[in-house]
Amino acid sequence: MSKHDKPKPKPSYAPALQRGLHEVSHQVEAMHRAIAGKTFGALKQVPVVAQPAALIESIHDAVSAGVHAAVRLGNRGLFSLAGEAERALASDAPPGPRESGLRAAINGVFGDHLAAHGEALATPMQLFERGRHSAAVLDHLHIPQRRVCIFLHGLACDEHCWVPDADSGEPDYGAQVHADFGYTVLYLRYNSGLPIADNASAFAELLQTLCAAQPSLQEILLIGHSMGGLIARCALWQGAGSPWLARTRMLICLGSPQLGSPLERLGMVTNRLLDSFDVTAPIGAIARRRSAGIRDLHDGIGADAGQDPPEVELRFLGATIAEDSDSALGKLVGDGLVTPDSALAERPRANIARAQLGGLGHMAMLHEARVWQQVHTWIAEGFVPTA
């Protein structure tokens, strides 16, 4: 490392958690004041106890403010010590699956705030080779068959979500794509708390960089789960005229809420109800801090928000937790997070195929034999082996 190269800051959980707990403390204090204010307000309407109630209220407010301030001060000291310990124990080795998964979860909920504050904990967008913990160096990749398959994870996950437990007997889609079709498999890691459109733009730029670093690359296959499918599809909309789009053959979306998630819509309604009352408004303020990525799931990317390139084959797979995927219950609850109508984006368009499975939950779509069989069928259609 030259004297001009500055080492990148180590990701630290302490500052982000401290800031989050600090804000929660303020909102709890506001709710405490709202509850107490209603109580003392009622007492001050009674002539006999009005003056004593006012005095007690002033004492209560002073004591309450002091207690909450002490809590915040204690938190600052505690997390400062935690941050020092974290930095002391940090090594130059890349994070393993457990730490990476924790960072992914934090990014899913607060990732836009972390990025806005320049926190090292904010996840950068990177591609990873199978089984590697360090980001891929794009111009050093070995792509013998000139084909790559890129897997995109969903909200609050990372690339490790695609790999089943060793003794589970569940299919590993990445290993199967490589074994059956010869694709070089890459996994995208990204900050799922950022707006979907921002991640899509960054992904399009990354694909452009990949093609520039690998001029012999001939084919790109994209497989996205949940939010990952939305990001890939939105990137297709933004990639008109780009070399990477001309090399992209197919996008397969697994449980992607193309038309939005009812769970986030319920969250928006709940937020409005919380904001309607003084006592619960502080809780609503905390709920509003959820990331832009989560809020984007309210509407998904919409059926008419962009133009799907006709040269790219689109494949949408939906699921329901009900065994009968066509039942009223199946259509209502979907896979637990995404309804079939949203996952399948029911509108006729060229070059789109859809499939639906019953008895399957949202996260179970990552390692399921029936899902792999459908994915395999789609990839095999029109597949031309490399000579």
Side-chain angles (χ1 to χ4, degrees):
M1 179 183 295
S2 71
K3 64 179 181 180
H4 300 291
D5 293 329
K6 294 183 179 179
K8 294 182 179 179
K10 294 289 184 182
S12 178
Y13 302 100
L17 294 176
Q18 177 184 335
R19 186 164 51 251
L21 190 56
H22 186 75
E23 179 172 339
V24 169
S25 174
H26 275 296
Q27 298 302 339
V28 170
E29 181 179 5
M31 184 169 65
H32 186 177
R33 283 182 175 275
I35 295 171
K38 287 186 177 297
T39 302
F40 286 117
L43 290 174
K44 286 189 290 186
Q45 300 301 314
V46 182
V48 178
V49 297
Q51 288 187 342
L55 177 61
I56 294 172
E57 181 181 26
S58 63
I59 296 173
H60 166 272
D61 289 347
V63 172
S64 174
V67 169
H68 286 287
V71 169
R72 287 190 287 272
L73 182 62
N75 288 336
R76 283 197 294 272
L78 175 63
F79 281 109
S80 293
L81 290 174
E84 290 299 327
E86 193 172 44
R87 285 188 289 274
L89 293 173
S91 68
D92 291 331
R98 183 174 298 179
E99 182 187 5
S100 178
L102 175 59
R103 290 179 61 187
I106 294 173
N107 274 257
V109 181
F110 302 114
D112 53 343
H113 306 296
L114 295 174
H117 286 88
E119 295 281 0
L121 189 58
T123 299
M125 180 173 286
Q126 296 171 312
L127 287 170
F128 287 79
E129 294 182 83
R130 181 175 181 75
R132 301 289 181 86
H133 296 312
S134 297
V137 180
L138 300 186
D139 55 359
H140 290 170
L141 287 174
H142 180 53
I143 308 178
Q145 305 231 9
R146 295 175 290 183
R147 309 176 191 263
V148 297
C149 176
I150 301 176
F151 287 84
L152 297 87
H153 63 75
L155 175 70
C157 294
D158 65 8
E159 71 279 5
H160 297 100
C161 72
W162 292 102
V163 182
D165 293 337
D167 57 351
S168 68
E170 297 170 334
D172 184 328
Y173 304 161
Q176 292 295 129
V177 165
H178 175 71
D180 294 357
F181 299 101
Y183 285 91
T184 296
V185 175
L186 299 173
Y187 298 88
L188 184 73
R189 180 192 294 179
Y190 64 95
N191 180 347
S192 60
L194 294 176
I196 289 174
D198 290 359
N199 272 325
S201 296
F203 183 49
E205 291 180 9
L206 186 59
L207 290 174
Q208 185 66 25
T209 303
L210 173 63
C211 288
Q214 295 286 335
S216 64
L217 180 62
Q218 293 182 350
E219 184 181 316
I220 299 173
L221 169 66
L222 304 175
I223 301 179
H225 175 248
S226 196
M227 180 186 283
L230 302 186
I231 289 171
R233 189 179 178 200
C234 191
L236 296 180
W237 296 348
Q238 299 178 12
S242 62
W244 70 263
L245 185 60
R247 304 178 195 184
T248 302
R249 174 196 167 200
M250 180 183 293
L251 164 61
I252 299 175
C253 296
L254 308 178
S256 296
Q258 309 287 344
L259 307 182
S261 169
L263 195 64
E264 172 55 18
R265 292 183 192 132
L266 177 62
M268 292 288 288
V269 173
T270 303
N271 233 146
R272 293 191 188 100
L273 290 174
L274 291 172
D275 291 342
S276 300
F277 303 96
D278 293 342
V279 172
T280 56
I283 301 177
I286 295 173
R288 282 196 304 276
R289 292 287 288 177
R290 64 191 184 281
S291 69
I294 293 177
R295 295 196 301 273
D296 277 353
L297 295 179
H298 181 275
D299 297 314
I301 52 177
D304 303 303
Q307 184 64 45
D308 294 315
E311 65 272 23
V312 179
E313 302 171 42
L314 299 182
R315 302 292 181 261
F316 297 156
L317 181 62
T320 69
I321 57 177
E323 291 295 334
D324 182 0
S325 59
D326 292 324
S327 67
L329 176 62
K331 293 179 180 179
L332 177 65
V333 301
D335 63 17
L337 292 177
V338 181
T339 61
D341 286 349
S342 182
L344 302 179
E346 292 290 359
R347 183 184 174 195
R349 290 193 179 186
N351 222 359
I352 290 182
R354 302 175 175 88
Q356 187 171 316
L357 298 173
L360 189 61
H362 189 71
M363 297 305 294
M365 298 182 77
L366 290 165
H367 317 117
E368 219 276 350
R370 292 176 297 158
V371 173
W372 165 245
Q373 186 57 52
Q374 183 60 67
V375 170
H376 184 281
T377 298
W378 279 333
I379 298 174
E381 293 172 353
F383 179 80
V384 179
T386 302

